Amino acid sequence: MAAAEPTDSPENRDGSAPGAEGGSASVPNFPVCLIVLGMAGSGKTTFVQRLTAHLHSQNSAPYVINLDPAVHEVPFPANIDIRDTVNYKEVMKQYNLGPNGGIVTSLNLFATRFDQVMQFIEKKRQNHRYVLIDTPGQIEVFTWSASGTIITEALASSFPCVVIYVMDTSRSVNPVTFMSNMLYACSILYKTKLPFIVAMNKTDIIDHSFAIEWMQDFEAFQDALNQETSYVSNLTRSMSLVLDEFYTNLRVVGVSAVTGSGLDELFIQVEDAAKEYERDYRPEYERLRRQLVEAQSRKQQEQLERLRKDLGAVDMSPAASTEEADLAGPSDLIMTRGNPDDSEEEADSDTDDIDHTATEESKESDAFGNFLKERKEVVQVRNRKCATPDAP
């Protein structure tokens, strides 16, 4: 099911949070799951590799899960690897699928066993402070698929979860491209309904300060859009007004997966997001869980009521009285069909005052007498014929 799990070292059992003082006090018994999402080419896998190395350097080894079945090599030690469970190329071959269809089907197959992954995380929760989850390169394959929803909700219902959206800063210098990234980030936020962090990657190529300015200063973003003359710029200008509230409470951190800069600030934001999960999101998940349990209980009660109605007046309790047991219901007709009780038949018969044995014997004697009478007549006719002489 899963890859061989590395031996836990004593130093990663303290649950310390690197880059945040006293951050572990917010969630002492549960690891924080970091679900890393992002567009293809944004540097998700390299980002997870840098996070893993950073946490190891802080003596807080993470529990790493790879959910990309099509990756050729994983540059980090994965505790659980989807490739150990599902063969991506065989899925494409057997189901006649293309690359994206193969990834979706592989994730669907893996999601059917994700309860075992949850058990592994539960067993190791005292040894790891963070669970890193690397998702497939095609972001829509995980974000908008049923398996992605199942995995995300399964993790969020049991552990504090934070979504990290990795954004390619060097590709977002164009205001239209920047707005596209922000719209996608907003859609993921409302889809997952979890604490959200935007990690502006590749700050070693270009600083992310221009993006921060665009989010904080509407006029600066409008000035950048004035250089665009297409109708898309007009649409982007209108959409920027809609995202003002989204920008207000958005956590944004500039990081570099190559140099490792900005990771300390990232983990401070992660700890703050974990506290937000405990404060705002966990009560909601517990409320949904209670509603689910109550709905299941009501459904079971309704099924029992329907069963009682189908069984009629039969009492299923062991202390049923004799009078209640004698009442005939629909089930009595089914259970006694083909196996009648002689005593019940005699009690329900309409000819209880007739002696059936005597009647049958009288009928037999009459029939035998008639038979003898007929035979006697035949013999007499035959004797008369024999006694009469033939005419000369």
Side-chain angles (χ1 to χ4, degrees), residues 7 31 51 55 63 76 122 125 145 206 213 236 250 252 264 278 284 339:
T7 305
L51 287 180
L55 290 172
Y63 196 84
F76 49 79
E122 183 69 25
R125 70 177 188 176
S145 66
I206 184 172
E213 182 183 6
T236 303
L250 184 63
V252 181
D264 290 334
E278 292 293 334
E284 178 67 14
N339 297 292

Side-chain angles (χ1 to χ4, degrees), residues 16-60:
S16 60
E21 296 180 1
S24 60
S26 61
V27 191
N29 297 324
F30 295 97
V32 180
C33 297
L34 305 181
I35 304 175
V36 181
L37 302 173
M39 297 285 190
S42 61
K44 294 186 300 297
T45 302
T46 308
F47 177 72
V48 173
Q49 186 270 337
R50 177 56 64 181
L51 287 180
T52 304
H54 179 78
L55 290 172
H56 275 285
S57 67
Q58 299 288 334
N59 294 328
S60 180

Side-chain angles (χ1 to χ4, degrees), residues 19 50 56 97 103 123 162 170 249 294 297 364 379:
R50 177 56 64 181
H56 275 285
L97 298 172
I103 294 175
K123 290 179 182 178
V162 179
S170 62
N249 300 316
E294 292 174 358
S297 177
E364 289 179 358
V379 171

Side-chain angles (χ1 to χ4, degrees), residues 99-271:
N100 288 345
I103 294 175
V104 172
T105 306
S106 299
L107 271 176
N108 291 341
L109 294 173
F110 187 75
T112 60
R113 301 292 183 87
F114 201 75
D115 57 325
Q116 300 180 23
V117 177
M118 297 294 293
Q119 292 175 6
F120 291 147
I121 300 175
E122 183 69 25
K123 290 179 182 178
K124 299 294 184 180
R125 70 177 188 176
Q126 298 294 339
N127 302 334
H128 302 276
R129 172 59 182 158
Y130 296 101
V131 178
L132 305 182
I133 299 140
D134 187 22
T135 57
Q138 288 76 6
I139 184 173
E140 67 279 358
V141 167
F142 184 84
T143 306
W144 303 107
S145 66
S147 54
T149 303
I150 291 171
I151 292 172
T152 302
E153 291 183 353
L155 290 170
S157 62
S158 301
F159 306 102
C161 283
V162 179
V163 176
I164 299 180
Y165 179 74
V166 180
M167 176 178 162
D168 190 345
T169 310
S170 62
R171 298 288 184 183
S172 300
V173 292
N174 185 295
V176 176
T177 307
F178 171 81
M179 178 57 60
S180 300
N181 263 302
M182 290 295 103
L183 286 174
Y184 213 109
C186 183
S187 66
I188 294 174
L189 171 64
Y190 285 102
K191 178 69 167 60
T192 59
K193 298 178 182 178
L194 289 171
F196 196 81
I197 299 175
V198 175
M200 293 190 173
N201 195 19
K202 304 183 182 181
T203 55
D204 53 307
I205 299 176
I206 184 172
D207 191 71
H208 68 293
S209 57
F210 74 92
I212 300 294
E213 182 183 6
W214 284 353
M215 286 188 288
Q216 295 178 351
D217 189 351
F218 177 77
E219 296 297 333
F221 185 70
Q222 295 300 314
D223 293 340
L225 275 176
N226 289 334
Q227 302 175 7
E228 300 286 336
T229 57
S230 63
Y231 98 95
V232 178
S233 63
N234 295 328
L235 176 62
T236 303
R237 186 175 290 105
S238 301
M239 294 303 299
S240 62
L241 294 171
V242 178
L243 294 181
D244 271 344
E245 186 176 355
F246 173 66
Y247 294 149
T248 303
N249 300 316
L250 184 63
R251 299 181 179 88
V252 181
V253 181
V255 298
S256 173
V258 175
T259 64
S261 63
L263 293 185
D264 290 334
E265 175 64 24
L266 173 68
F267 280 106
I268 293 176
Q269 296 289 347
V270 166
E271 288 300 318

Side-chain angles (χ1 to χ4, degrees), residues 61-112:
Y63 196 84
V64 187
I65 301 174
N66 173 47
L67 294 181
D68 190 352
V71 65
H72 184 61
E73 290 183 1
V74 177
F76 49 79
N79 298 81
I80 296 177
D81 196 333
I82 187 176
R83 299 176 302 168
D84 296 331
T85 304
V86 184
N87 190 324
Y88 166 69
K89 292 185 178 179
E90 283 298 321
V91 169
M92 291 178 59
K93 182 178 179 181
Q94 291 183 14
Y95 293 95
N96 254 352
L97 298 172
N100 288 345
I103 294 175
V104 172
T105 306
S106 299
L107 271 176
N108 291 341
L109 294 173
F110 187 75
T112 60

Side-chain angles (χ1 to χ4, degrees), residues 298-317 329-332 334-335:
R298 285 196 302 269
K299 186 176 181 180
Q300 291 177 355
Q301 292 295 330
E302 292 174 359
Q303 291 176 348
L304 288 175
E305 289 298 329
R306 286 198 298 268
L307 180 60
R308 290 192 182 96
K309 291 180 181 179
D310 292 340
L311 293 177
V314 176
D315 191 353
M316 299 181 64
S317 61
S331 62
D332 295 332
I334 298 173
M335 299 301 294

